[in-house]
Structure formats: structure tokens, C-alpha cells
Coordinates of all heavy atoms in Angstrom, one line a residue:
M1215 N 2.7 17.6 4.0 CA 2.4 16.3 4.6 C 2.3 15.3 3.5 O 1.8 15.5 2.5 CB 1.1 16.4 5.3 CG 0.8 15.2 6.1 SD 2.0 15.0 7.4 CE 1.4 14.0 8.6
V1216 N 3.2 14.1 3.7 CA 3.3 13.1 2.8 C 2.0 12.2 2.9 O 1.6 11.9 4.0 CB 4.5 12.2 2.9 CG1 4.5 11.1 2.0 CG2 5.8 13.1 2.9
K1217 N 1.4 11.9 1.7 CA 0.3 11.0 1.7 C 0.6 9.7 0.9 O 1.1 9.8 -0.2 CB -1.0 11.7 1.1 CG -2.2 11.1 1.3 CD -3.3 12.0 0.8 CE -4.7 11.4 1.0 NZ -5.8 12.3 0.6
C1218 N 0.1 8.6 1.3 CA 0.4 7.3 0.6 C -0.4 7.3 -0.7 O -1.7 7.5 -0.6 CB 0.1 6.1 1.4 SG 0.2 4.6 0.5
P1219 N 0.2 7.1 -1.9 CA -0.6 7.0 -3.1 C -1.4 5.8 -3.3 O -2.3 5.7 -4.1 CB 0.5 7.3 -4.3 CG 1.7 6.6 -3.6 CD 1.7 7.0 -2.1
F1220 N -1.2 4.8 -2.5 CA -1.9 3.7 -2.7 C -3.2 3.6 -1.8 O -4.3 3.2 -2.3 CB -1.0 2.4 -2.2 CG 0.2 2.2 -3.1 CD1 1.4 2.5 -2.7 CD2 0.0 1.5 -4.2 CE1 2.4 2.4 -3.4 CE2 1.2 1.3 -5.1 CZ 2.3 1.7 -4.7
C1221 N -3.1 3.9 -0.4 CA -4.1 3.8 0.4 C -4.6 5.1 1.0 O -5.6 5.3 1.8 CB -3.9 2.9 1.6 SG -2.6 3.4 2.7
G1222 N -3.9 6.3 0.9 CA -4.2 7.6 1.5 C -3.8 7.8 2.9 O -4.0 8.8 3.4
F1223 N -2.9 6.9 3.5 CA -2.4 7.0 4.8 C -1.6 8.3 5.0 O -0.8 8.5 4.1 CB -1.7 5.8 5.3 CG -1.1 5.9 6.5 CD1 -1.8 5.7 7.7 CD2 0.3 6.2 6.7 CE1 -1.2 5.7 8.9 CE2 0.9 6.2 7.9 CZ 0.1 6.0 9.1
E1224 N -1.8 9.0 6.1 CA -0.9 10.2 6.4 C -0.3 10.0 7.7 O -1.1 9.7 8.7 CB -1.7 11.5 6.4 CG -2.1 11.8 4.9 CD -2.9 13.3 5.0 OE1 -2.5 14.2 5.8 OE2 -3.8 13.5 4.2
G1225 N 1.0 10.1 7.9 CA 1.6 9.8 9.1 C 3.1 9.5 9.0 O 3.8 10.1 7.9
E1226 N 3.6 8.8 9.8 CA 5.0 8.4 9.6 C 5.2 7.2 8.8 O 4.5 6.2 8.8 CB 5.6 8.0 11.1 CG 5.6 9.2 12.1 CD 6.6 10.2 11.6 OE1 7.7 9.9 11.2 OE2 6.3 11.5 11.8
F1227 N 6.3 7.3 7.9 CA 6.5 6.4 6.9 C 7.9 5.8 7.2 O 8.8 6.5 7.6 CB 6.4 6.9 5.5 CG 5.2 7.3 5.1 CD1 4.7 8.6 5.2 CD2 4.3 6.4 4.4 CE1 3.4 9.0 4.8 CE2 3.0 6.8 4.1 CZ 2.6 8.0 4.2
R1228 N 8.2 4.5 6.8 CA 9.5 4.0 6.9 C 10.4 4.4 5.7 O 9.9 4.2 4.5 CB 9.3 2.4 6.9 CG 10.7 1.7 7.1 CD 10.4 0.2 7.3 NE 11.6 -0.5 7.0 CZ 11.8 -1.6 6.3 NH1 10.7 -2.0 5.6 NH2 12.9 -2.0 6.0
E1229 N 11.5 4.8 5.9 CA 12.4 5.2 4.8 C 13.2 4.0 4.3 O 13.9 3.4 5.0 CB 13.3 6.3 5.3 CG 14.1 7.1 4.2 CD 14.8 8.2 4.6 OE1 14.1 9.3 4.9 OE2 16.1 8.3 4.4
L1230 N 13.0 3.7 3.0 CA 13.8 2.6 2.5 C 15.0 2.9 2.0 O 16.0 2.3 2.1 CB 12.9 1.8 1.4 CG 11.6 1.2 1.9 CD1 10.8 0.7 0.7 CD2 11.8 0.1 3.0
K1231 N 15.1 4.1 1.2 CA 16.3 4.6 0.6 C 16.3 6.1 0.7 O 15.3 6.7 0.7 CB 16.4 4.3 -0.8 CG 16.8 2.8 -1.1 CD 17.0 2.7 -2.7 CE 17.2 1.4 -3.1 NZ 17.4 1.2 -4.5
G1232 N 17.5 6.7 0.7 CA 17.5 8.1 0.5 C 18.1 8.8 1.7 O 18.5 8.3 2.7
P1233 N 18.1 10.2 1.6 CA 17.7 11.1 0.6 C 18.8 11.1 -0.6 O 20.0 10.9 -0.2 CB 17.5 12.3 1.2 CG 18.4 12.3 2.4 CD 18.5 10.9 2.8
W1234 N 18.3 11.3 -1.8 CA 19.3 11.6 -2.8 C 18.8 12.8 -3.6 O 17.6 13.2 -3.4 CB 19.6 10.4 -3.7 CG 18.5 9.9 -4.6 CD1 18.2 10.2 -5.8 CD2 17.5 9.0 -4.2 NE1 17.0 9.6 -6.3 CE2 16.6 8.8 -5.3 CE3 17.2 8.2 -3.1 CZ2 15.4 7.9 -5.3 CZ3 16.0 7.4 -3.1 CH2 15.3 7.3 -4.2
K1235 N 19.7 13.4 -4.5 CA 19.2 14.5 -5.3 C 18.9 14.2 -6.7 O 19.6 13.3 -7.3 CB 20.4 15.5 -5.3 CG 20.7 16.1 -3.9 CD 19.5 17.0 -3.4 CE 19.5 18.3 -4.0 NZ 18.5 19.3 -3.3
F1236 N 17.9 14.6 -7.2 CA 17.5 14.5 -8.6 C 17.2 16.0 -9.2 O 16.1 16.5 -8.7 CB 16.3 13.6 -8.8 CG 15.8 13.6 -10.2 CD1 16.7 12.8 -11.2 CD2 14.7 14.2 -10.7 CE1 16.3 12.8 -12.6 CE2 14.3 14.0 -11.9 CZ 15.0 13.3 -12.9
R1237 N 18.1 16.5 -9.8 CA 17.9 17.9 -10.3 C 17.8 18.8 -9.1 O 18.8 18.8 -8.2 CB 16.8 18.1 -11.2 CG 17.0 17.4 -12.6 CD 16.0 17.7 -13.5 NE 16.3 17.0 -14.8 CZ 15.5 16.9 -15.8 NH1 14.4 17.4 -15.8 NH2 15.8 16.1 -16.8
F1238 N 16.7 19.5 -8.9 CA 16.6 20.3 -7.8 C 15.7 19.7 -6.6 O 15.4 20.2 -5.7 CB 16.0 21.7 -8.0 CG 14.7 21.7 -8.7 CD1 13.5 21.7 -8.0 CD2 14.7 21.8 -10.2 CE1 12.4 21.6 -8.7 CE2 13.5 21.8 -10.8 CZ 12.3 21.7 -10.1
Y1239 N 15.4 18.5 -6.9 CA 14.5 17.7 -5.9 C 15.4 16.9 -4.9 O 16.4 16.3 -5.3 CB 13.5 16.7 -6.7 CG 12.5 17.3 -7.4 CD1 12.5 17.3 -8.9 CD2 11.3 17.9 -6.8 CE1 11.5 18.0 -9.6 CE2 10.4 18.4 -7.6 CZ 10.4 18.5 -8.9 OH 9.4 19.1 -9.7
T1240 N 14.7 16.7 -3.8 CA 15.3 15.7 -2.7 C 14.3 14.6 -2.8 O 13.2 14.8 -2.6 CB 15.3 16.4 -1.4 OG1 16.2 17.5 -1.3 CG2 15.9 15.4 -0.3
V1241 N 14.9 13.4 -3.0 CA 14.1 12.3 -3.3 C 14.2 11.3 -2.1 O 15.4 11.1 -1.7 CB 14.3 11.6 -4.5 CG1 13.4 10.5 -4.8 CG2 14.4 12.5 -5.8
R1242 N 13.2 10.6 -1.7 CA 13.2 9.6 -0.6 C 12.3 8.5 -1.0 O 11.2 8.7 -1.5 CB 12.8 10.1 0.7 CG 13.7 11.0 1.4 CD 13.2 11.5 2.7 NE 14.2 12.3 3.4 CZ 14.4 13.5 3.3 NH1 13.7 14.2 2.3 NH2 15.3 14.2 4.0
M1243 N 12.7 7.2 -0.8 CA 12.0 6.0 -1.1 C 11.4 5.7 0.2 O 12.0 5.4 1.2 CB 12.7 4.9 -1.7 CG 11.8 3.6 -2.0 SD 12.6 2.2 -2.5 CE 12.7 2.6 -4.3
L1244 N 10.0 5.8 0.3 CA 9.2 5.5 1.5 C 8.4 4.2 1.4 O 7.9 3.8 0.3 CB 8.4 6.8 1.9 CG 9.2 8.0 2.0 CD1 8.2 9.2 2.2 CD2 10.1 8.0 3.1
Q1245 N 8.1 3.7 2.6 CA 7.1 2.5 2.7 C 6.0 2.9 3.7 O 6.3 3.3 4.7 CB 7.8 1.2 3.0 CG 7.0 0.0 3.0 CD 7.7 -1.2 3.4 OE1 8.6 -1.1 4.2 NE2 7.3 -2.3 2.9
C1246 N 4.8 2.5 3.2 CA 3.7 2.9 4.0 C 3.4 1.8 5.0 O 3.5 0.6 4.7 CB 2.3 2.9 3.1 SG 0.9 3.2 4.0
P1247 N 3.3 2.0 6.3 CA 3.2 1.1 7.3 C 1.7 0.4 7.3 O 1.5 -0.7 7.9 CB 3.3 1.8 8.6 CG 2.9 3.2 8.3 CD 3.3 3.4 6.9
S1248 N 0.8 1.1 6.7 CA -0.6 0.6 6.6 C -0.8 -0.5 5.5 O -1.3 -1.6 5.7 CB -1.6 1.7 6.3 OG -2.8 1.3 6.1
C1249 N -0.3 -0.2 4.3 CA -0.4 -1.1 3.1 C 0.7 -1.8 2.6 O 0.8 -2.5 1.6 CB -1.3 -0.4 2.0 SG -0.3 0.9 1.2
N1250 N 1.9 -1.3 3.1 CA 3.3 -1.7 2.6 C 3.7 -1.3 1.3 O 4.5 -2.0 0.7 CB 3.4 -3.3 2.9 CG 3.6 -3.7 4.3 OD1 4.1 -3.0 5.1 ND2 2.9 -4.8 4.5
G1251 N 2.9 -0.4 0.8 CA 3.3 0.1 -0.6 C 4.4 1.0 -0.5 O 4.7 1.7 0.3
A1252 N 5.4 0.9 -1.6 CA 6.6 1.7 -1.7 C 6.4 2.8 -2.7 O 5.7 2.4 -3.8 CB 7.7 0.9 -2.1
F1253 N 6.9 4.0 -2.4 CA 6.8 5.0 -3.4 C 8.0 6.1 -3.1 O 8.6 6.0 -2.0 CB 5.4 5.8 -3.2 CG 5.1 6.3 -1.8 CD1 5.5 7.6 -1.6 CD2 4.7 5.5 -0.8 CE1 5.2 8.1 -0.3 CE2 4.5 6.1 0.4 CZ 4.7 7.4 0.7
N1254 N 8.3 6.8 -4.1 CA 9.3 7.9 -4.1 C 8.6 9.2 -3.8 O 7.6 9.5 -4.5 CB 10.1 8.0 -5.3 CG 11.0 6.7 -5.6 OD1 11.4 6.0 -4.6 ND2 11.4 6.5 -6.8
H1255 N 9.0 10.0 -2.9 CA 8.6 11.3 -2.7 C 9.5 12.3 -3.0 O 10.7 12.3 -2.6 CB 8.3 11.3 -1.1 CG 7.8 12.7 -0.7 ND1 8.6 13.6 0.0 CD2 6.6 13.3 -1.0 CE1 7.9 14.8 0.1 NE2 6.6 14.5 -0.4
Y1256 N 9.2 13.3 -3.9 CA 10.1 14.2 -4.5 C 9.6 15.5 -3.9 O 8.3 15.8 -3.8 CB 9.9 14.3 -6.0 CG 10.5 13.1 -6.8 CD1 9.7 11.9 -6.8 CD2 11.7 13.3 -7.4 CE1 10.2 10.9 -7.5 CE2 12.1 12.1 -8.2 CZ 11.4 11.0 -8.2 OH 11.8 9.9 -9.0
E1257 N 10.5 16.4 -3.4 CA 10.1 17.7 -3.0 C 11.4 18.6 -3.2 O 12.5 18.1 -3.1 CB 9.7 17.7 -1.4 CG 10.9 17.4 -0.4 CD 10.3 17.5 0.9 OE1 9.5 18.5 1.2 OE2 10.8 16.8 1.7
G1258 N 11.1 19.9 -3.6 CA 12.1 20.8 -3.8 C 11.7 22.1 -4.3 O 10.4 22.4 -4.5
V1259 N 12.6 23.1 -4.5 CA 12.3 24.4 -4.9 C 13.1 24.7 -6.2 O 14.3 24.4 -6.4 CB 12.8 25.4 -3.8 CG1 12.5 26.8 -4.3 CG2 12.1 25.2 -2.6
S1260 N 12.2 25.0 -7.2 CA 12.8 25.2 -8.6 C 13.8 26.4 -8.6 O 13.7 27.3 -7.7 CB 11.7 25.3 -9.7 OG 11.1 26.6 -9.5
P1261 N 14.6 26.6 -9.6 CA 15.4 27.8 -9.7 C 14.6 29.1 -9.8 O 15.1 30.1 -9.4 CB 16.2 27.6 -11.0 CG 16.2 26.0 -11.2 CD 14.9 25.6 -10.6
K1262 N 13.3 29.0 -10.2 CA 12.4 30.2 -10.3 C 11.8 30.5 -8.8 O 11.0 31.4 -8.7 CB 11.3 30.0 -11.3 CG 11.9 30.0 -12.7 CD 10.8 29.8 -13.7 CE 11.4 29.8 -15.1 NZ 10.3 29.9 -16.1
G1263 N 12.1 29.6 -7.9 CA 11.5 29.8 -6.5 C 10.2 29.1 -6.3 O 9.6 29.3 -5.2
K1264 N 9.7 28.3 -7.1 CA 8.4 27.6 -6.9 C 8.7 26.2 -6.2 O 9.5 25.5 -6.6 CB 7.8 27.3 -8.4 CG 6.5 26.6 -8.2 CD 5.9 26.4 -9.5 CE 4.5 25.6 -9.4 NZ 4.0 25.2 -10.6
Y1265 N 8.0 26.0 -5.0 CA 8.1 24.8 -4.2 C 7.1 23.8 -4.9 O 6.0 24.1 -5.3 CB 7.6 25.1 -2.9 CG 7.6 23.8 -2.0 CD1 8.7 23.3 -1.6 CD2 6.4 23.2 -1.8 CE1 8.7 22.1 -0.8 CE2 6.3 22.0 -1.0 CZ 7.4 21.4 -0.5 OH 7.4 20.2 0.2
S1266 N 7.6 22.6 -5.1 CA 6.7 21.6 -5.5 C 7.1 20.2 -4.9 O 8.2 20.0 -4.5 CB 6.9 21.3 -7.1 OG 8.1 21.0 -7.5
E1267 N 6.1 19.4 -4.8 CA 6.3 18.0 -4.3 C 5.3 17.1 -4.8 O 4.2 17.4 -5.2 CB 6.2 17.9 -2.7 CG 4.9 18.1 -2.0 CD 4.9 18.0 -0.6 OE1 5.4 16.9 0.0 OE2 4.4 18.9 0.1
Y1268 N 5.7 15.8 -5.0 CA 4.8 14.8 -5.6 C 5.4 13.4 -5.3 O 6.5 13.2 -4.9 CB 4.7 15.0 -7.1 CG 6.0 14.9 -8.0 CD1 6.3 13.7 -8.5 CD2 6.7 16.0 -8.2 CE1 7.5 13.6 -9.3 CE2 7.9 15.9 -8.9 CZ 8.3 14.6 -9.5 OH 9.4 14.6 -10.2
T1269 N 4.6 12.4 -5.6 CA 4.9 11.0 -5.4 C 4.9 10.2 -6.5 O 4.0 10.5 -7.4 CB 4.1 10.3 -4.2 OG1 2.8 10.4 -4.5 CG2 4.3 11.1 -2.8
I1270 N 5.7 9.2 -6.6 CA 5.5 8.2 -7.7 C 5.6 6.8 -7.1 O 6.4 6.5 -6.3 CB 6.7 8.4 -8.8 CG1 6.7 9.7 -9.4 CG2 6.7 7.2 -9.7 CD1 7.9 10.0 -10.3
K1271 N 4.5 6.1 -7.5 CA 4.4 4.7 -7.0 C 5.6 3.9 -7.6 O 6.0 4.1 -8.7 CB 3.1 4.0 -7.5 CG 1.9 4.6 -7.0 CD 0.7 4.0 -7.6 CE -0.7 4.6 -7.1 NZ -1.8 4.0 -7.7
V1272 N 6.0 2.9 -6.6 CA 7.2 2.0 -7.1 C 6.7 0.6 -6.9 O 6.1 0.3 -5.8 CB 8.4 2.3 -6.1 CG1 9.4 1.2 -6.3 CG2 8.9 3.7 -6.2
T1273 N 6.9 -0.2 -7.9 CA 6.5 -1.7 -7.9 C 7.8 -2.4 -7.6 O 8.7 -2.1 -8.3 CB 5.8 -2.0 -9.1 OG1 6.6 -1.8 -10.2 CG2 4.4 -1.4 -9.2
R1274 N 7.7 -3.4 -6.8 CA 8.9 -4.2 -6.6 C 9.0 -5.2 -7.8 O 8.1 -5.7 -8.3 CB 8.7 -5.1 -5.3 CG 8.4 -4.4 -4.0 CD 9.8 -3.9 -3.6 NE 9.6 -3.4 -2.3 CZ 10.7 -2.9 -1.5 NH1 11.8 -3.2 -1.9 NH2 10.4 -2.3 -0.4
R1275 N 10.3 -5.2 -8.2 CA 10.7 -6.0 -9.3 C 10.9 -7.4 -8.8 O 11.5 -7.6 -7.8 CB 12.0 -5.6 -10.0 CG 11.8 -4.2 -10.7 CD 13.0 -3.9 -11.4 NE 13.0 -2.6 -12.1 CZ 13.9 -1.9 -12.5 NH1 15.2 -2.5 -12.5 NH2 13.7 -0.8 -13.1
E1276 N 10.3 -8.3 -9.5 CA 10.4 -9.8 -9.2 C 11.6 -10.3 -9.8 O 12.0 -10.0 -11.0 CB 9.2 -10.6 -9.7 CG 7.9 -10.1 -9.0 CD 6.7 -10.9 -9.5 OE1 6.9 -12.1 -10.1 OE2 5.6 -10.6 -9.3
K1277 N 12.3 -11.3 -9.1 CA 13.5 -11.8 -9.6 C 13.1 -12.8 -10.8 O 12.3 -13.6 -10.6 CB 14.3 -12.5 -8.6 CG 14.8 -11.7 -7.5 CD 15.6 -12.4 -6.5 CE 16.2 -11.5 -5.4 NZ 17.0 -12.3 -4.5
R1278 N 13.7 -12.6 -11.9 CA 13.4 -13.5 -13.0 C 14.4 -14.6 -13.0 O 15.5 -14.6 -12.6 CB 13.6 -12.7 -14.3 CG 12.6 -11.7 -14.6 CD 12.7 -11.2 -16.0 NE 13.8 -10.1 -16.0 CZ 14.3 -9.6 -17.1 NH1 13.9 -9.9 -18.2 NH2 15.1 -8.6 -17.0
E1279 N 13.7 -15.8 -13.3 CA 14.6 -17.1 -13.3 C 15.4 -17.1 -14.6 O 14.9 -16.7 -15.6 CB 13.7 -18.4 -13.2 CG 12.9 -18.5 -11.9 CD 12.1 -19.6 -11.8 OE1 12.4 -20.6 -12.7 OE2 11.1 -19.7 -11.2
V1280 N 16.6 -17.4 -14.5 CA 17.4 -17.6 -15.6 C 17.2 -19.0 -16.2 O 17.5 -20.0 -15.6 CB 19.0 -17.4 -15.3 CG1 19.8 -17.5 -16.5 CG2 19.2 -16.1 -14.7
K1281 N 16.8 -18.9 -17.4 CA 16.5 -20.2 -18.2 C 17.9 -20.8 -18.7 O 18.5 -20.0 -19.3 CB 15.5 -20.1 -19.2 CG 14.1 -19.7 -18.8 CD 13.2 -19.6 -19.9 CE 11.8 -19.2 -19.4 NZ 10.8 -19.2 -20.5
E1282 N 18.1 -22.1 -18.5 CA 19.3 -22.7 -18.9 C 19.2 -23.0 -20.5 O 18.1 -23.4 -20.9 CB 19.6 -23.9 -18.1 CG 19.9 -23.7 -16.8 CD 20.4 -25.0 -16.0 OE1 20.9 -25.9 -16.6 OE2 20.1 -25.0 -14.8
A1283 N 20.2 -22.6 -21.2 CA 20.2 -22.9 -22.6 C 20.1 -24.5 -22.8 O 20.9 -25.2 -22.3 CB 21.4 -22.3 -23.3
K1284 N 19.3 -24.9 -23.7 CA 19.2 -26.4 -24.1 C 20.4 -26.6 -25.0 O 20.7 -25.9 -25.9 CB 17.9 -26.6 -24.7 CG 16.7 -26.6 -23.8 CD 15.4 -27.0 -24.4 CE 14.3 -26.7 -23.6 NZ 13.0 -27.1 -24.3
P1285 N 21.1 -27.8 -24.7 CA 22.1 -28.2 -25.7 C 21.6 -28.4 -27.2 O 20.6 -29.1 -27.2 CB 22.8 -29.4 -25.1 CG 21.8 -29.9 -24.1 CD 20.8 -28.7 -23.7
E1286 N 22.2 -27.9 -28.1 CA 21.7 -28.0 -29.4 C 22.3 -29.3 -30.0 O 23.2 -29.8 -29.7 CB 22.4 -26.9 -30.3 CG 21.8 -25.5 -30.0 CD 22.3 -24.5 -30.9 OE1 22.8 -24.8 -32.0 OE2 22.3 -23.3 -30.6
A1287 N 21.3 -29.9 -30.7 CA 21.7 -31.3 -31.4 C 22.7 -31.0 -32.4 O 22.4 -30.2 -33.3 CB 20.4 -31.9 -31.8
T1288 N 23.6 -31.7 -32.4 CA 24.7 -31.6 -33.5 C 24.4 -32.6 -34.6 O 24.1 -33.8 -34.3 CB 26.0 -31.9 -32.9 OG1 26.2 -33.1 -32.3 CG2 26.5 -30.7 -32.0
S1289 N 24.4 -32.3 -35.8 CA 24.0 -33.1 -36.9 C 25.4 -33.7 -37.4 O 26.4 -32.9 -37.6 CB 23.3 -32.4 -38.0 OG 24.0 -31.3 -38.5
S1290 N 25.4 -34.9 -37.7 CA 26.7 -35.6 -38.2 C 26.6 -35.9 -39.7 O 25.6 -36.2 -40.2 CB 26.9 -36.9 -37.4 OG 27.0 -36.6 -36.1

């Protein structure tokens, strides 16, 4: 059962991206309906047969403003 790493909510999550493969893991980016936190959920079976799953918190990247270059003063 998937549990939100931000607020601890267990239930249905909104899938933002996925699934995709990372090594032997299947990865999905999920969003919590309770706190709107986004996280990646990894689950898979290793080549040795061990099942594992974990989550990694994802923070949204803010768009950076592009600063315009100031014209350089030309010396005469």
C-alpha cells in the first residue's frame, strides 16, 4: 500500500507520470489528493528475488527568470 511521505495519507493517488523503468524498479510519479504533495513511488523485484518499494519526495521546480544582460559601456 502506497503512503504519502508528506502527510501519511493512504488511498488512491493521482498519477502524474509513468510508469517507467529504472533498473529493476517500476517508477510512478504520484500526487496526494490530501496535501497535493508529489512523490515518486519505486517498486520492483531485484535479480536476487527480493521485493522492495520506497518513495522519494519531489519538489516542484520554480521557473527562473532570465535576466537580461546589461549593455556594456564602451570606452572611447
Side-chain angles (χ1 to χ4, degrees):
M1215 186 67 163
V1216 181
K1217 188 175 185 179
C1218 176
F1220 297 101
C1221 67
F1223 176 80
E1224 292 185 33
E1226 292 294 319
F1227 294 91
R1228 180 174 163 230
E1229 190 170 295
L1230 297 178
K1231 285 185 184 177
W1234 70 89
K1235 295 295 276 182
F1236 175 74
R1237 296 186 182 171
F1238 57 85
Y1239 290 105
T1240 301
V1241 186
R1242 289 179 172 81
M1243 180 183 276
L1244 303 173
Q1245 184 179 30
C1246 178
S1248 178
C1249 69
N1250 290 327
F1253 60 95
N1254 288 339
H1255 178 253
Y1256 293 75
E1257 67 177 327
V1259 178
S1260 73
K1262 294 183 178 181
K1264 182 181 176 187
Y1265 175 80
S1266 63
E1267 69 176 310
Y1268 61 94
T1269 58
I1270 295 179
K1271 295 178 183 179
V1272 176
T1273 57
R1274 299 274 183 180
R1275 293 184 182 168
E1276 295 180 17
K1277 292 183 181 179
R1278 289 190 272 169
E1279 293 182 24
V1280 179
K1281 294 182 180 179
E1282 294 182 25
K1284 295 181 181 177
E1286 295 182 18
T1288 55
S1289 57
S1290 301

